[in-house]
Amino acid sequence: MIPPQFEMTAGDVLARGLGRGFLQALTLMGALSLGMGGVARAEKKVVGEADAEFEVRQAEAKESFKKGVAPFVKTYCIECHGNRRTKGGLNLEPALKHPGEASASRKWLQAFANVNAHDMPPDDADQPAPEERQQFLDSLGQVKYLSAKDPGPFVIRRLTKMEYGNTLHDLFGVDVDVAQELPDEVAGQGYLNSLSPMQTEQYLGIANEVLDRILAAPGKPPTAVQKRLFGEPPAAGADPRESAKKVARSVARRAFRRPPSEDEVEVLVGVFDLGLANKLDYPEALRLMLKAVLVSPQFLFITPAREAVAGKVIVPLDDHQLASRLSYLLWATMPDAELSKLADAGKLHEPAVLKAQVKRLLADPRSRALFDGFGAQWLGLGSLDSKTFDPKKFPQMTPAMRRAMYDEARLFFDSIVRGNRSVVAFIDSDYTFLNATLAKIYGLEKSVTGDEMQRVALTDRNRGGILGMPAVLATTSFPNRTSAVNRGVWVLEQVLGEHVPPAPPNVPALEKQDKNTVANLTLRQRTELHRTNVVCANCHKILDPIGFGLENFDAIGRWRDKDDTGGEIDAGGELPGGKRFSTPQELKKIIAARKDDLARNLTEKLMAYALCRQLEGYDHIVVDQLMKTIAQDGYRMQTLITEIVTSYPFLNRRVKD
C-alpha cells in the first residue's frame, strides 16, 4: 500500500480547488498504485531452501555461536546489557534467543566493535582472556549464516529531488531546475518514503509549472510537446473519451514506468470526464488528466509493479520493476526506450541481457548520477557547499572553490567507474581533475589555467586518490583547523568499512584543554593527550595514526610542513600488524594493499544504496559470494556494480514477513 503520509496529505492538497471528483479519482489512483502493473513476465519459482553449502555453513555457525558467543555474552555482557539493565540502549537477550534475525545483526555489529576495541567489558569489570575474546569475535563473524535466505522487502520510496527533476526532463524536456524548490534530502541509505504537506503543495505547484511550460495557453496553437503527448484532437463527431483513453494509456506507460492497468486508465479518463463536466474543452480536460498523472503515487513513488501470487513469500522482480530499479540506480531517472522495450518483451531479467544493459548505462554520460546520488554520500561531501570555514584563515573557500572541489571528486569517481578501473585507484592514483581555482590548493596554478575542469597528471605521490583530495580533507576538518580524529574515523569507516564506537561521554574537546599545559605542544601532541584516558586509548591508537598521516594537508587540503602552532608536522605512525609509515604516500600504500577490505566496503555501501535499506544477515552472505567474482576480475568497478545488479537481493523481494 502507499505510505499513509501520502494518502493524508494528497487529500488535503487536492481538496483545495480541484474539485471533489478529482479528489476521489486521485484517492482511487493511490489505492491502485500497487499490484496492477499490467504486462509482466510470469514469475519463476523461487527456491526458498538454502543450497548445500549454505546448510553446511549454517550448521557450523550454530555450533560456533553456541561455543563462542553465547557463553561470552552471558559471562561478560548480560549483566549490563540484558532485560534487567540496558546500558547504552543495548539489550543482547533477544539477540541470544534469535541471533539470525535482522534486529539482532545490528546489535552484534555494535558488540563486535566494542569488544574488538577493548572498550567492553569495561576496565572495572572481569576481563576475558585474549583467546576468549578472539573466539568471540571469530564466532560473531559467522552469525550471518544463522539468517534465512531472504532478499529483504522492496522499499517503497519517493523519488529524490534529483530523480524527480531528471524524470520530468526525460518525460517532457523541461529543465531539471523545475524541481529546484524542493528541499534537499537527508543522506542515509538512499531511501525516502514520506511526504510532508509542504512537499505535496510543492509537487502540485511544480506540476502546474511543468504544464505551463509544455502546453499552449487556451486558444493558442498546440506546442510540439503537446502534439507528441496528445496527438491530433478527435475529429468532429468522434468520441473524445476514446481519444482521451489512448492519451491516458500512452502517457501513463511512460510516467508510471510500466504499462498501466485498465483500472488505472479508467481512473485517468474519469478525471478527463470531470474536466468536461466542468465545461473544460478537450485540451484543458487533457491537461487536468495529465496533472493527475504528475501528482499520482505511481509517478512520485517507486513501488512494486504488481501484487505477488497468493501464497508466495519471496518473488522475483518483474521486468518493469527491474528496469526502474536499474535506471534509477545508475542514471537517477526513468528507464529509456531500450530498457522499456526489453521490459515489455520480458527479456531484461535474462543474465546476459541484464549485464549488457549495465555496461550500456555506465557508458552513457547520464551515469554521472551515480556519483551525485551515491558517490558524494559515500565520501561525505553533501555538506561541502554549506560547511563553515573561518573566513580569516581560509578566505579561499569561496562558492567557486567548493564547486571545483566537488567536481574534482565527481570527475575522478566517474573516471574510475567508466574506465572500469580497480577500486584501488580510489586510494592511489597518478592523476586528478583541476581548474585554475582548485590548482592553487595543489600549488599547480602556474601549469593549470582556465575555469574548465581538466585531467592533470600528478607527480607528487602524496597526492592522487581520495585521501589527498581537498573536498574530503575539508569536510573532515573543523572550521578553523584539521582533525586527525575525524580523518581517522573517516578512513576507517568510509574507506575500510570498519565500525568505530562513539566517543565516551565527558571527553573534553582540545579547545577546553588547560592552556598552560598545551601552550608549547603541537596539535598532534595535544591530541595524543586523549590517550592518557584509558577509555579513549584503544580506539585512538588505531585512528590517530591514520589521521596524523594526513596532517601535512591543512583544513582545506593545502600541503604544509608545519602546523598552526609552528611545530614540525610528524606524519609518521604505526598501524596494527607493525606496518609503519612516515608520509601520506606510505600510508596510502598500506591502505591500498587492503584490496579486499576496500572492495567489500564499497560493495556493501553500494548494495545498501541500491536496495534503499541497511544490509542485514543474508545480505552479508551474498556479499561474500560477490567478492569471489570481484576479486577474480581485479576488483574492477564495473564488475562490482554488475555483481550487485545481478545479485539475489537486487532481483528478488520478500512480500510477506
Side-chain angles (χ1 to χ4, degrees):
M1 59 183 293
I2 282 296
Q5 300 97 320
F6 184 87
E7 291 179 345
M8 292 185 292
T9 57
D12 183 52
V13 173
L14 294 174
R16 299 185 185 183
L18 293 181
R20 182 174 297 276
F22 190 51
L23 169 59
Q24 292 172 343
L26 266 293
T27 302
L28 181 57
M29 289 288 285
L32 293 173
S33 69
L34 298 184
M36 298 185 177
V39 180
R41 64 182 173 87
E43 291 180 359
K44 291 182 178 179
K45 184 179 180 181
V46 178
V47 180
E49 298 178 358
D51 57 28
E53 181 184 359
F54 177 62
E55 288 182 352
V56 171
R57 292 290 187 92
Q58 193 168 65
E60 293 173 347
K62 288 179 180 178
E63 189 66 19
S64 179
F65 184 85
K66 187 169 155 185
K67 292 181 178 179
V69 176
F72 187 98
V73 171
K74 291 175 181 177
T75 302
Y76 300 107
C77 309
I78 212 70
E79 183 179 346
C80 296
H81 300 288
N83 292 333
R84 293 182 179 179
R85 297 176 67 192
T86 309
K87 283 190 174 182
L90 179 62
N91 183 352
L92 293 176
E93 285 202 40
L96 279 177
K97 294 179 181 179
H98 306 285
E101 290 188 355
S103 58
S105 64
R106 287 184 282 275
K107 294 179 180 180
W108 295 133
L109 179 65
Q110 185 176 348
F112 183 96
N114 286 326
V115 173
N116 187 48
H118 289 250
D119 287 345
M120 292 291 163
D123 291 331
D124 57 357
D126 293 339
Q127 295 296 309
E131 58 273 14
E132 195 177 4
R133 185 186 297 269
Q134 190 59 50
Q135 183 184 19
F136 172 75
L137 297 173
D138 292 341
S139 298
L140 268 188
Q142 302 303 311
V143 166
K144 58 191 172 188
Y145 289 104
L146 300 179
S147 305
K149 186 175 182 179
D150 181 6
F154 186 96
V155 177
I156 297 174
R157 70 173 184 86
R158 174 170 50 85
L159 295 178
T160 66
K161 176 180 178 178
M162 178 174 64
E163 292 170 340
Y164 178 66
N166 289 343
T167 302
L168 289 174
H169 169 76
D170 287 357
L171 271 175
F172 306 118
V174 295
D175 291 336
V176 295
D177 65 2
V178 74
Q180 191 60 37
E181 295 306 312
L182 286 177
D184 292 324
E185 291 82 14
V186 177
Q189 297 293 333
Y191 57 89
L192 301 129
N193 59 4
S194 62
L195 205 60
S196 69
M198 181 186 73
Q199 287 172 317
T200 310
E201 293 267 14
Q202 289 174 316
Y203 282 123
L204 189 60
I206 292 170
N208 285 325
E209 184 176 349
V210 168
L211 297 176
D212 288 341
R213 292 188 188 186
I214 66 173
L215 302 180
K220 299 290 184 180
T223 65
V225 175
Q226 193 168 340
K227 289 179 180 179
R228 173 171 61 82
L229 293 173
F230 297 164
E232 294 296 326
D239 183 2
R241 200 174 193 277
E242 285 303 312
S243 297
K245 184 176 289 188
K246 292 180 181 179
V247 175
R249 185 171 285 108
S250 173
V251 171
R253 168 62 187 88
R254 297 198 69 210
F256 295 172
R257 304 171 283 275
R258 57 169 172 77
S261 69
E262 287 304 312
D263 289 331
E264 288 170 328
V265 172
E266 284 300 321
V267 170
L268 290 174
V269 175
V271 175
F272 171 83
D273 293 339
L274 179 66
L276 294 183
N278 282 273
K279 304 190 183 307
L280 297 180
D281 61 16
Y282 179 79
E284 284 298 296
L286 287 182
R287 175 190 171 108
L288 188 64
M289 184 177 74
L290 186 54
K291 183 188 295 185
V293 170
L294 294 183
V295 296
S296 68
Q298 292 93 324
F299 177 67
L300 294 176
F301 287 82
I302 295 179
T303 67
R306 62 194 175 101
E307 290 182 355
V309 175
K312 293 285 187 179
V313 176
I314 295 172
V315 298
L317 272 62
D318 67 47
D319 279 39
H320 295 104
Q321 200 174 3
L322 179 56
S324 287
R325 176 171 264 190
L326 176 61
S327 184
Y328 280 101
L329 170 64
L330 300 184
W331 282 357
T333 190
M334 59 186 286
D336 66 354
E338 184 170 333
L339 270 180
S340 296
K341 184 177 179 180
L342 288 169
D344 288 344
K347 299 274 188 188
L348 185 58
H349 68 279
E350 297 176 5
V353 173
L354 184 56
K355 289 180 180 180
Q357 287 302 304
V358 173
K359 186 174 182 179
R360 180 180 72 86
L361 266 62
L362 289 175
D364 190 284
R366 282 173 285 188
S367 65
R368 67 158 286 179
L370 185 61
F371 176 80
D372 294 327
F374 167 73
Q377 182 174 312
W378 166 48
L379 297 177
L381 305 186
S383 63
L384 179 61
D385 62 341
S386 59
K387 183 178 174 67
T388 299
F389 287 91
D390 186 332
K392 293 182 179 179
K393 294 188 70 172
F394 305 112
Q396 300 86 354
M397 291 303 290
T398 61
M401 178 65 79
R402 295 168 194 251
R403 283 194 302 271
M405 286 181 174
Y406 183 91
D407 286 345
E408 177 193 20
R410 175 180 60 79
L411 291 168
F412 182 69
F413 181 94
D414 188 60
S415 73
I416 293 175
V417 172
R418 296 179 66 187
N420 197 20
R421 303 189 67 202
S422 167
V423 297
V424 176
F426 280 117
I427 305 303
D428 194 12
S429 183
D430 60 359
Y431 70 93
T432 191
F433 295 84
L434 305 174
N435 63 4
T437 300
L438 188 55
K440 296 174 184 176
I441 300 293
Y442 280 79
L444 297 175
E445 58 270 24
K446 293 182 179 179
S447 56
V448 179
T449 60
D451 294 332
E452 295 296 319
M453 300 295 290
Q454 53 202 272
R455 180 164 171 153
V456 176
L458 297 174
T459 57
D460 181 359
R461 298 303 295 177
N462 289 306
R463 293 285 191 180
I466 57 178
L467 298 189
M469 196 165 280
V472 169
L473 296 165
T475 54
T476 53
S477 293
F478 290 126
N480 62 339
R481 64 171 177 84
T482 60
S483 170
V485 173
N486 286 352
R487 289 176 176 178
V489 169
W490 182 87
V491 172
L492 288 172
E493 293 192 332
Q494 300 306 114
V495 178
L496 296 174
E498 298 183 12
H499 181 68
V500 179
N506 304 320
V507 176
L510 293 186
E511 285 73 15
K512 293 184 179 181
Q513 291 174 332
D514 181 78
K515 293 183 178 180
N516 293 327
T517 302
V518 303
N520 298 315
L521 299 182
T522 65
L523 182 61
R524 175 166 188 157
Q525 292 167 334
R526 292 174 60 189
T527 305
E528 287 177 339
L529 287 178
H530 280 288
R531 292 198 190 182
T532 60
N533 183 331
V534 293
V535 177
C536 303
N538 289 318
C539 280
H540 278 275
K541 69 182 180 183
I542 299 174
L543 62 89
D544 281 0
I546 295 176
F548 286 124
L550 301 174
E551 189 65 10
N552 282 113
F553 301 112
D554 74 1
I556 62 174
R558 296 174 299 186
W559 182 266
R560 60 182 182 170
D561 295 311
K562 296 183 178 181
D563 70 6
D564 293 343
T565 68
E568 293 289 333
I569 299 287
D570 176 9
E574 181 177 346
L575 297 178
K579 298 183 183 298
R580 299 188 60 82
F581 59 90
S582 59
T583 64
Q585 177 184 352
E586 293 174 359
L587 174 62
K588 288 197 306 176
K589 185 177 180 180
I590 293 172
I591 293 176
R594 295 177 60 174
K595 297 178 182 179
D596 198 74
D597 292 333
L598 295 171
R600 178 178 292 273
N601 171 61
L602 201 53
T603 300
E604 290 178 343
K605 284 182 164 53
L606 183 55
M607 179 175 278
Y609 177 79
L611 300 177
C612 304
R613 60 173 176 79
Q614 292 181 339
L615 299 191
E616 297 170 349
Y618 190 77
D619 298 322
H620 295 289
I621 299 173
V622 173
V623 171
D624 288 345
Q625 297 166 348
L626 302 189
M627 285 301 300
K628 296 176 183 177
T629 304
I630 293 168
Q632 288 171 358
D633 195 42
Y635 304 97
R636 294 182 181 276
M637 272 300 294
Q638 290 193 17
T639 301
L640 187 154
I641 294 169
T642 302
E643 286 298 298
I644 289 174
V645 170
T646 57
S647 69
Y648 178 73
F650 194 89
L651 298 177
N652 298 275
R653 65 184 176 102
R654 183 181 70 238
V655 294
K656 291 183 179 179
D657 290 322

